[in-house]
Amino acid sequence: MASAKSSRSRPAGHSGVFPVGGAALGVGGGGGGGGGGDGGVQLADKLKIFKTDNFDPDAYVQSKCHTMNEKEIRHLCSYLQDLKKASAEEMRRSVYANYAAFIRTSKEISDLEGELLSIRNLLNTQAALIHGLSEGVQIDSLTSGTEGSTEEYISNVEDQEPSEIQKWSADFPDLLDVLLAERRVDEALDALDEAERVAADARRTQTLTAAEISALRGAVSDNCQKLADQLAEAACQSSTRGIELRAAASALKRLGDGPRAHSLLLSAHNQRLQCNLQTIHPSSTSYGGAYTAALAQQVFSVVAQALSDSVEVFGDESCYASELVTWATKQVLSFALLVKRHVLSSCAAAGGLRAAAECVQISLGHCSLLEARGLSVSSVLLKQFKPSLEQALDANLRRIEESTAALAAADNWTLTYPPNGIRPVARSSVANLALQPKLSTSAHRFNSMVQDYFEDVAPLLSLQLGGSTMDGIAKNFNLYVNLLISALPGSMDDEANVEGLGNKIVRMAETEEQQLALLANASLLAEELLPRAAMKLSSINQSTDDLRKRGPDKQNRVPELREWKRKLQRMVDRLRDSFCRQHALELIFTDEGDTHLSAEMYISMDNTVEEPDWVPSPIFQELYAKLNMMAGIAADMFVGRERFATLLMMRLTETVILWLSEDQAFWEEIEQGPKPLGPLGLQQFYLDMQFVIIFGQGRFLSRHVHQVILDIIDRAMGAFSATGMNPDSVLPGDDWFMDVAQEVVGMISGKGRAANGDREIHSPTASVSAHSMSSFRSHGSS
């Protein structure tokens, strides 16, 4: 039957040529068109090949795919899937946009057909009447014969016995009255058909006079109308259901009044539906899902029964199918408005996403049963439900934000396992206790609410809320990262860090352990917990067949999830940079604003007469002590995520070294100051840099920073060489620098003298050897 289900079609914006490049893959979901202003002309030209009689699809595909590699073919398949979805949606919108006019025109055509049938019957009656009058005039005009013969003829006629047909014709009105009184509809219809046949035969064989034929047809017409009225009255009775209703509609259709029969059929189902709905009353204390289920059961069962009755009685005739679709759409729209008014509006206002999602699931489940029978009305529901669901999503996101911020105000930034009342990642037991995430109170709350949020949203993928859902969580995570940044001491001086926090109050993380807990919260959420929760959007409530059918969709979601995870990582990087910047500033500057790392501390060494105590400068000793202490704390916090802890320590070292490398005032004084850099100052500077390389190898130093240190040394030696002295002539051998640096490293770490080759094999800089300094010395002095 005709329905609102869209057929497969080619969207208007497709050029007809398979795209290979990445630009061709940017197909939006809003419609099928993607061409520019001249796309229509190009499309028409390129579609000519498909209109030829000898077009071979297999040959065409092989010619286009012959030069494609596997990646391009995968892009092509994904592109065609997107085109198919866009085409189906565009066709659906086009059908619904013009459906009202189409149905109105079909109904008018049906009414015209009924009027033409009535006119034909009236003309037949008038023709029979005229024919009878003409025969009567002809008989009256015959004056041949004598008066005696006329009297004899009349006597013969009176004495003549009436024929069987004349007797049947005379008894027909009484017979039909009896059948109608006893509601023997089928026999009455057979009698009417028989009368029509007798009248037609009598007119052809002239076994009845014109007056008798006219009287017979008049009786047929009157009784047809009487039977139609009787059937209509019976169809309107609330007690008429099932077989009786279908029989009445079928009888009306047999009488030639199909449009009226179909309208009465739908009206009877509507009357039954309204009567059933009177027993369902929403209540403030009732469960929204129960009300929706009861309402959906009544509405969709009646619509399904009307569909079955219409198909059984009227078949797939387009005019009747169109009226059925319009009627069903109206009933589903009324259902959607009731659910929206009594359930979804209150759920959306309160942020009850789970209850709203359950109501939508119940409704779409009943819609799918109709779609299996060829009637698609889900778009009517989605149009009504989507605004309320978006409101519920926003309310839920606000609740996550407010609840997390409230807990952050009192969070002591101590990592613990999930407390009671918060869902664990795995069942609690000694074996899987290590699988439970250790987070602070606010992070546990944020994770739990996000887990619930994704579970509630996952069944609503058909509403295409996936993108906005993930963006909303990313925005909330960004706000939570801002809270964590504002918990760092000194971060309130940076207005950019507290943007969007408003009047939210956050408890400060005073100790290094608490500050590392901030990073542990953000990194674990961004790297594991939130991406794992987001996977529920593509995996929940899908059977194996569903996953197989939605294979391309699932593949398309993987890059989306990967990009979303990268976005979360960039937010964590902001927290990490703020952490490293704060600790670097604490090392470099005093509370009064003076600096611990200046050019004067190296230049002034040559102004003393006493031999200096050759140890690394205090700022670099403090840097190593801080890194060593933080590494010990991080080893317990970042179990299984040691790489993040290593990168964090490297980033802190990089922040200090880059500050030194980019400090213009420092280098202007070294290179252009009134006092040049002397041999002792160069030796101390060289020792400091060698000390950083020694303690940083394998743990705290990246390849990039190692190269920056070499460049810094090169610049310092270049400034010293500008005085006319050779750096190699005043600097001790490399072994001396290594011995001093390793002795201090051992003293600070408490592990004794560090071995020359003692470094972590899994470090990003494990291959960088301390002996590279020797090669640098020879290169720098050349």
Side-chain angles (χ1 to χ4, degrees), residues 55 77 101 111 167 174 182 188 232 276 292 296-297 318 388 401 468 520 610 642 649 687 699 702 731 736 738 747 751:
F55 174 70
C77 294
D111 294 340
K167 291 180 181 180
D174 297 333
E182 296 179 357
N276 293 341
T292 305
Q297 177 64 30
S318 60
S388 296
E401 175 188 348
S468 61
E610 297 180 359
E642 290 79 5
M649 301 301 111
L687 175 60
R699 299 181 65 191
S702 66
L731 292 178
W736 180 86
M738 289 185 182
M747 180 180 61
K751 297 180 181 179

PDB file of all heavy atoms in Angstrom, residues 55 77 101 111 167 174 182 188 232 276 292 296-297 318 388 401 468 520 610 642 649 687 699 702 731 736 738 747 751:
ATOM      1  N   PHE A  55      22.895   0.580 -20.431  1.00  0.00           N
ATOM      2  CA  PHE A  55      23.742   0.872 -19.263  1.00  0.00           C
ATOM      3  C   PHE A  55      23.995  -0.412 -18.469  1.00  0.00           C
ATOM      4  O   PHE A  55      23.073  -1.143 -18.124  1.00  0.00           O
ATOM      5  CB  PHE A  55      23.068   1.912 -18.370  1.00  0.00           C
ATOM      6  CG  PHE A  55      23.806   2.163 -17.093  1.00  0.00           C
ATOM      7  CD1 PHE A  55      25.024   2.818 -17.095  1.00  0.00           C
ATOM      8  CD2 PHE A  55      23.284   1.721 -15.879  1.00  0.00           C
ATOM      9  CE1 PHE A  55      25.710   3.047 -15.916  1.00  0.00           C
ATOM     10  CE2 PHE A  55      23.967   1.937 -14.696  1.00  0.00           C
ATOM     11  CZ  PHE A  55      25.186   2.613 -14.715  1.00  0.00           C
ATOM     12  N   CYS A  77      32.471   3.569  -0.216  1.00  0.00           N
ATOM     13  CA  CYS A  77      31.352   2.885   0.438  1.00  0.00           C
ATOM     14  C   CYS A  77      30.726   3.766   1.514  1.00  0.00           C
ATOM     15  O   CYS A  77      29.500   3.858   1.619  1.00  0.00           O
ATOM     16  CB  CYS A  77      31.831   1.567   1.049  1.00  0.00           C
ATOM     17  SG  CYS A  77      32.378   0.342  -0.171  1.00  0.00           S
ATOM     18  N   ALA A 101      -1.855  18.089   0.219  1.00  0.00           N
ATOM     19  CA  ALA A 101      -2.458  18.432  -1.063  1.00  0.00           C
ATOM     20  C   ALA A 101      -2.795  17.185  -1.872  1.00  0.00           C
ATOM     21  O   ALA A 101      -3.846  17.112  -2.529  1.00  0.00           O
ATOM     22  CB  ALA A 101      -1.510  19.337  -1.855  1.00  0.00           C
ATOM     23  N   ASP A 111     -14.762  11.682  -4.593  1.00  0.00           N
ATOM     24  CA  ASP A 111     -16.107  12.270  -4.536  1.00  0.00           C
ATOM     25  C   ASP A 111     -16.675  12.473  -5.929  1.00  0.00           C
ATOM     26  O   ASP A 111     -17.868  12.246  -6.179  1.00  0.00           O
ATOM     27  CB  ASP A 111     -16.061  13.605  -3.789  1.00  0.00           C
ATOM     28  CG  ASP A 111     -15.695  13.415  -2.322  1.00  0.00           C
ATOM     29  OD1 ASP A 111     -15.852  12.283  -1.842  1.00  0.00           O
ATOM     30  OD2 ASP A 111     -15.254  14.391  -1.691  1.00  0.00           O
ATOM     31  N   LYS A 167     -44.276 -11.349 -12.151  1.00  0.00           N
ATOM     32  CA  LYS A 167     -44.571 -11.670 -10.756  1.00  0.00           C
ATOM     33  C   LYS A 167     -43.376 -11.324  -9.850  1.00  0.00           C
ATOM     34  O   LYS A 167     -43.537 -10.747  -8.773  1.00  0.00           O
ATOM     35  CB  LYS A 167     -44.900 -13.159 -10.634  1.00  0.00           C
ATOM     36  CG  LYS A 167     -46.211 -13.571 -11.264  1.00  0.00           C
ATOM     37  CD  LYS A 167     -46.436 -15.067 -11.083  1.00  0.00           C
ATOM     38  CE  LYS A 167     -47.752 -15.504 -11.742  1.00  0.00           C
ATOM     39  NZ  LYS A 167     -47.955 -16.956 -11.569  1.00  0.00           N
ATOM     40  N   ASP A 174     -41.479  -5.880  -1.883  1.00  0.00           N
ATOM     41  CA  ASP A 174     -41.824  -6.491  -0.609  1.00  0.00           C
ATOM     42  C   ASP A 174     -40.715  -7.404  -0.089  1.00  0.00           C
ATOM     43  O   ASP A 174     -40.405  -7.418   1.113  1.00  0.00           O
ATOM     44  CB  ASP A 174     -43.124  -7.292  -0.756  1.00  0.00           C
ATOM     45  CG  ASP A 174     -44.299  -6.393  -1.122  1.00  0.00           C
ATOM     46  OD1 ASP A 174     -44.234  -5.198  -0.754  1.00  0.00           O
ATOM     47  OD2 ASP A 174     -45.238  -6.890  -1.761  1.00  0.00           O
ATOM     48  N   GLU A 182     -34.889  -7.577   8.387  1.00  0.00           N
ATOM     49  CA  GLU A 182     -34.204  -8.651   9.093  1.00  0.00           C
ATOM     50  C   GLU A 182     -32.682  -8.520   9.053  1.00  0.00           C
ATOM     51  O   GLU A 182     -31.965  -9.371   9.558  1.00  0.00           O
ATOM     52  CB  GLU A 182     -34.612  -9.998   8.497  1.00  0.00           C
ATOM     53  CG  GLU A 182     -36.087 -10.313   8.667  1.00  0.00           C
ATOM     54  CD  GLU A 182     -36.470 -11.640   8.043  1.00  0.00           C
ATOM     55  OE1 GLU A 182     -35.575 -12.274   7.417  1.00  0.00           O
ATOM     56  OE2 GLU A 182     -37.638 -12.047   8.178  1.00  0.00           O
ATOM     57  N   ALA A 188     -29.764  -9.175   0.684  1.00  0.00           N
ATOM     58  CA  ALA A 188     -30.293  -7.955   0.089  1.00  0.00           C
ATOM     59  C   ALA A 188     -29.403  -7.480  -1.054  1.00  0.00           C
ATOM     60  O   ALA A 188     -29.905  -7.047  -2.114  1.00  0.00           O
ATOM     61  CB  ALA A 188     -30.418  -6.859   1.157  1.00  0.00           C
ATOM     62  N   ALA A 232     -24.521   2.456   7.241  1.00  0.00           N
ATOM     63  CA  ALA A 232     -23.797   3.561   7.866  1.00  0.00           C
ATOM     64  C   ALA A 232     -24.181   3.706   9.322  1.00  0.00           C
ATOM     65  O   ALA A 232     -23.337   3.938  10.206  1.00  0.00           O
ATOM     66  CB  ALA A 232     -24.078   4.856   7.107  1.00  0.00           C
ATOM     67  N   ASN A 276     -11.622   4.307  24.485  1.00  0.00           N
ATOM     68  CA  ASN A 276     -10.598   3.623  25.271  1.00  0.00           C
ATOM     69  C   ASN A 276      -9.701   4.602  26.019  1.00  0.00           C
ATOM     70  O   ASN A 276      -9.240   4.322  27.132  1.00  0.00           O
ATOM     71  CB  ASN A 276      -9.733   2.735  24.374  1.00  0.00           C
ATOM     72  CG  ASN A 276     -10.509   1.565  23.802  1.00  0.00           C
ATOM     73  OD1 ASN A 276     -11.575   1.205  24.319  1.00  0.00           O
ATOM     74  ND2 ASN A 276     -10.008   0.973  22.736  1.00  0.00           N
ATOM     75  N   THR A 292       2.775   6.231  29.345  1.00  0.00           N
ATOM     76  CA  THR A 292       3.129   6.184  27.918  1.00  0.00           C
ATOM     77  C   THR A 292       2.854   4.814  27.331  1.00  0.00           C
ATOM     78  O   THR A 292       2.333   4.699  26.207  1.00  0.00           O
ATOM     79  CB  THR A 292       4.609   6.550  27.735  1.00  0.00           C
ATOM     80  OG1 THR A 292       4.864   7.822  28.325  1.00  0.00           O
ATOM     81  CG2 THR A 292       4.979   6.595  26.264  1.00  0.00           C
ATOM     82  N   ALA A 296       0.247   4.238  24.415  1.00  0.00           N
ATOM     83  CA  ALA A 296       0.753   3.708  23.144  1.00  0.00           C
ATOM     84  C   ALA A 296       0.051   2.410  22.774  1.00  0.00           C
ATOM     85  O   ALA A 296      -0.248   2.166  21.588  1.00  0.00           O
ATOM     86  CB  ALA A 296       2.263   3.484  23.240  1.00  0.00           C
ATOM     87  N   GLN A 297      -0.218   1.578  23.770  1.00  0.00           N
ATOM     88  CA  GLN A 297      -0.909   0.321  23.492  1.00  0.00           C
ATOM     89  C   GLN A 297      -2.274   0.570  22.864  1.00  0.00           C
ATOM     90  O   GLN A 297      -2.664  -0.099  21.892  1.00  0.00           O
ATOM     91  CB  GLN A 297      -1.047  -0.471  24.797  1.00  0.00           C
ATOM     92  CG  GLN A 297      -1.816  -1.781  24.658  1.00  0.00           C
ATOM     93  CD  GLN A 297      -1.111  -2.774  23.763  1.00  0.00           C
ATOM     94  OE1 GLN A 297       0.113  -2.769  23.690  1.00  0.00           O
ATOM     95  NE2 GLN A 297      -1.848  -3.619  23.076  1.00  0.00           N
ATOM     96  N   SER A 318      -4.876   3.416  -4.030  1.00  0.00           N
ATOM     97  CA  SER A 318      -4.110   4.559  -3.539  1.00  0.00           C
ATOM     98  C   SER A 318      -4.962   5.581  -2.802  1.00  0.00           C
ATOM     99  O   SER A 318      -4.535   6.151  -1.797  1.00  0.00           O
ATOM    100  CB  SER A 318      -3.396   5.246  -4.711  1.00  0.00           C
ATOM    101  OG  SER A 318      -4.337   5.698  -5.669  1.00  0.00           O
ATOM    102  N   SER A 388      11.836  18.461  23.382  1.00  0.00           N
ATOM    103  CA  SER A 388      11.773  18.129  24.799  1.00  0.00           C
ATOM    104  C   SER A 388      13.010  17.341  25.237  1.00  0.00           C
ATOM    105  O   SER A 388      13.550  17.552  26.335  1.00  0.00           O
ATOM    106  CB  SER A 388      10.513  17.317  25.100  1.00  0.00           C
ATOM    107  OG  SER A 388       9.343  18.069  24.845  1.00  0.00           O
ATOM    108  N   GLU A 401      27.134  19.694  35.833  1.00  0.00           N
ATOM    109  CA  GLU A 401      28.037  20.813  36.110  1.00  0.00           C
ATOM    110  C   GLU A 401      27.863  21.339  37.533  1.00  0.00           C
ATOM    111  O   GLU A 401      28.846  21.537  38.268  1.00  0.00           O
ATOM    112  CB  GLU A 401      27.762  21.931  35.096  1.00  0.00           C
ATOM    113  CG  GLU A 401      28.554  23.202  35.354  1.00  0.00           C
ATOM    114  CD  GLU A 401      28.117  24.338  34.451  1.00  0.00           C
ATOM    115  OE1 GLU A 401      27.372  24.069  33.474  1.00  0.00           O
ATOM    116  OE2 GLU A 401      28.498  25.482  34.731  1.00  0.00           O
ATOM    117  N   SER A 468      25.691  16.263  19.525  1.00  0.00           N
ATOM    118  CA  SER A 468      25.423  17.250  20.560  1.00  0.00           C
ATOM    119  C   SER A 468      25.614  16.659  21.945  1.00  0.00           C
ATOM    120  O   SER A 468      26.012  17.356  22.878  1.00  0.00           O
ATOM    121  CB  SER A 468      24.000  17.790  20.401  1.00  0.00           C
ATOM    122  OG  SER A 468      23.047  16.745  20.544  1.00  0.00           O
ATOM    123  N   ALA A 520      45.711  13.654  38.131  1.00  0.00           N
ATOM    124  CA  ALA A 520      45.247  12.265  38.071  1.00  0.00           C
ATOM    125  C   ALA A 520      43.765  12.210  37.739  1.00  0.00           C
ATOM    126  O   ALA A 520      43.317  11.372  36.948  1.00  0.00           O
ATOM    127  CB  ALA A 520      45.524  11.566  39.403  1.00  0.00           C
ATOM    128  N   GLU A 610      87.859  33.943  46.179  1.00  0.00           N
ATOM    129  CA  GLU A 610      87.834  32.585  46.725  1.00  0.00           C
ATOM    130  C   GLU A 610      87.391  31.597  45.661  1.00  0.00           C
ATOM    131  O   GLU A 610      86.591  31.917  44.783  1.00  0.00           O
ATOM    132  CB  GLU A 610      86.885  32.515  47.927  1.00  0.00           C
ATOM    133  CG  GLU A 610      87.315  33.394  49.088  1.00  0.00           C
ATOM    134  CD  GLU A 610      86.351  33.280  50.244  1.00  0.00           C
ATOM    135  OE1 GLU A 610      85.341  32.529  50.108  1.00  0.00           O
ATOM    136  OE2 GLU A 610      86.572  33.928  51.275  1.00  0.00           O
ATOM    137  N   GLU A 642      52.057   5.244  33.726  1.00  0.00           N
ATOM    138  CA  GLU A 642      53.355   5.824  34.038  1.00  0.00           C
ATOM    139  C   GLU A 642      53.822   6.795  32.960  1.00  0.00           C
ATOM    140  O   GLU A 642      54.550   7.748  33.243  1.00  0.00           O
ATOM    141  CB  GLU A 642      54.400   4.723  34.217  1.00  0.00           C
ATOM    142  CG  GLU A 642      54.230   3.887  35.475  1.00  0.00           C
ATOM    143  CD  GLU A 642      53.135   2.832  35.335  1.00  0.00           C
ATOM    144  OE1 GLU A 642      52.583   2.692  34.223  1.00  0.00           O
ATOM    145  OE2 GLU A 642      52.825   2.155  36.336  1.00  0.00           O
ATOM    146  N   MET A 649      56.600  15.163  34.224  1.00  0.00           N
ATOM    147  CA  MET A 649      57.896  15.598  34.737  1.00  0.00           C
ATOM    148  C   MET A 649      58.744  16.228  33.634  1.00  0.00           C
ATOM    149  O   MET A 649      59.440  17.228  33.859  1.00  0.00           O
ATOM    150  CB  MET A 649      58.643  14.404  35.342  1.00  0.00           C
ATOM    151  CG  MET A 649      57.908  13.710  36.495  1.00  0.00           C
ATOM    152  SD  MET A 649      57.545  14.770  37.893  1.00  0.00           S
ATOM    153  CE  MET A 649      55.753  14.886  37.791  1.00  0.00           C
ATOM    154  N   LEU A 687      78.203  23.449  34.233  1.00  0.00           N
ATOM    155  CA  LEU A 687      77.910  22.439  35.245  1.00  0.00           C
ATOM    156  C   LEU A 687      76.397  22.326  35.469  1.00  0.00           C
ATOM    157  O   LEU A 687      75.864  21.220  35.603  1.00  0.00           O
ATOM    158  CB  LEU A 687      78.612  22.802  36.549  1.00  0.00           C
ATOM    159  CG  LEU A 687      78.301  21.905  37.763  1.00  0.00           C
ATOM    160  CD1 LEU A 687      78.705  20.459  37.489  1.00  0.00           C
ATOM    161  CD2 LEU A 687      78.995  22.442  39.011  1.00  0.00           C
ATOM    162  N   ARG A 699      64.233  10.048  32.506  1.00  0.00           N
ATOM    163  CA  ARG A 699      63.084  10.278  33.379  1.00  0.00           C
ATOM    164  C   ARG A 699      62.447  11.645  33.155  1.00  0.00           C
ATOM    165  O   ARG A 699      61.236  11.752  33.040  1.00  0.00           O
ATOM    166  CB  ARG A 699      63.500  10.160  34.851  1.00  0.00           C
ATOM    167  CG  ARG A 699      64.045   8.803  35.241  1.00  0.00           C
ATOM    168  CD  ARG A 699      64.405   8.782  36.713  1.00  0.00           C
ATOM    169  NE  ARG A 699      63.233   8.946  37.564  1.00  0.00           N
ATOM    170  CZ  ARG A 699      63.286   9.169  38.863  1.00  0.00           C
ATOM    171  NH1 ARG A 699      64.458   9.271  39.468  1.00  0.00           N
ATOM    172  NH2 ARG A 699      62.181   9.294  39.556  1.00  0.00           N
ATOM    173  N   SER A 702      63.234  15.274  27.689  1.00  0.00           N
ATOM    174  CA  SER A 702      62.854  14.830  26.351  1.00  0.00           C
ATOM    175  C   SER A 702      63.964  15.142  25.362  1.00  0.00           C
ATOM    176  O   SER A 702      64.897  15.909  25.655  1.00  0.00           O
ATOM    177  CB  SER A 702      61.566  15.531  25.913  1.00  0.00           C
ATOM    178  OG  SER A 702      61.779  16.920  25.759  1.00  0.00           O
ATOM    179  N   LEU A 731      87.738  25.235  30.674  1.00  0.00           N
ATOM    180  CA  LEU A 731      86.781  24.258  31.219  1.00  0.00           C
ATOM    181  C   LEU A 731      87.490  22.950  31.522  1.00  0.00           C
ATOM    182  O   LEU A 731      88.333  22.494  30.744  1.00  0.00           O
ATOM    183  CB  LEU A 731      85.649  24.007  30.222  1.00  0.00           C
ATOM    184  CG  LEU A 731      84.693  25.173  29.964  1.00  0.00           C
ATOM    185  CD1 LEU A 731      83.663  24.779  28.908  1.00  0.00           C
ATOM    186  CD2 LEU A 731      83.985  25.602  31.251  1.00  0.00           C
ATOM    187  N   TRP A 736      84.949  15.418  34.869  1.00  0.00           N
ATOM    188  CA  TRP A 736      84.797  16.232  36.083  1.00  0.00           C
ATOM    189  C   TRP A 736      83.349  16.696  36.265  1.00  0.00           C
ATOM    190  O   TRP A 736      82.781  16.615  37.338  1.00  0.00           O
ATOM    191  CB  TRP A 736      85.738  17.441  36.000  1.00  0.00           C
ATOM    192  CG  TRP A 736      85.642  18.325  37.225  1.00  0.00           C
ATOM    193  CD1 TRP A 736      86.321  18.178  38.389  1.00  0.00           C
ATOM    194  CD2 TRP A 736      84.808  19.480  37.372  1.00  0.00           C
ATOM    195  NE1 TRP A 736      85.984  19.161  39.286  1.00  0.00           N
ATOM    196  CE2 TRP A 736      85.038  19.991  38.677  1.00  0.00           C
ATOM    197  CE3 TRP A 736      83.899  20.134  36.554  1.00  0.00           C
ATOM    198  CZ2 TRP A 736      84.391  21.122  39.162  1.00  0.00           C
ATOM    199  CZ3 TRP A 736      83.267  21.251  37.034  1.00  0.00           C
ATOM    200  CH2 TRP A 736      83.486  21.741  38.328  1.00  0.00           C
ATOM    201  N   MET A 738      80.659  15.347  34.969  1.00  0.00           N
ATOM    202  CA  MET A 738      79.788  14.206  35.249  1.00  0.00           C
ATOM    203  C   MET A 738      79.917  13.760  36.697  1.00  0.00           C
ATOM    204  O   MET A 738      78.917  13.432  37.351  1.00  0.00           O
ATOM    205  CB  MET A 738      80.139  13.041  34.324  1.00  0.00           C
ATOM    206  CG  MET A 738      79.732  13.287  32.874  1.00  0.00           C
ATOM    207  SD  MET A 738      80.044  11.838  31.869  1.00  0.00           S
ATOM    208  CE  MET A 738      79.551  12.453  30.266  1.00  0.00           C
ATOM    209  N   MET A 747      73.225  12.496  46.121  1.00  0.00           N
ATOM    210  CA  MET A 747      72.984  13.086  47.425  1.00  0.00           C
ATOM    211  C   MET A 747      71.511  13.494  47.589  1.00  0.00           C
ATOM    212  O   MET A 747      70.898  13.265  48.631  1.00  0.00           O
ATOM    213  CB  MET A 747      73.891  14.309  47.604  1.00  0.00           C
ATOM    214  CG  MET A 747      73.734  15.018  48.953  1.00  0.00           C
ATOM    215  SD  MET A 747      74.832  16.447  49.080  1.00  0.00           S
ATOM    216  CE  MET A 747      74.216  17.443  47.702  1.00  0.00           C
ATOM    217  N   LYS A 751      70.385   7.941  46.920  1.00  0.00           N
ATOM    218  CA  LYS A 751      70.765   6.634  46.381  1.00  0.00           C
ATOM    219  C   LYS A 751      72.262   6.536  46.128  1.00  0.00           C
ATOM    220  O   LYS A 751      72.711   5.615  45.458  1.00  0.00           O
ATOM    221  CB  LYS A 751      70.018   6.358  45.062  1.00  0.00           C
ATOM    222  CG  LYS A 751      68.508   6.291  45.230  1.00  0.00           C
ATOM    223  CD  LYS A 751      67.851   6.017  43.909  1.00  0.00           C
ATOM    224  CE  LYS A 751      66.327   5.959  44.064  1.00  0.00           C
ATOM    225  NZ  LYS A 751      65.634   5.705  42.767  1.00  0.00           N
TER     226      LYS A 751
END
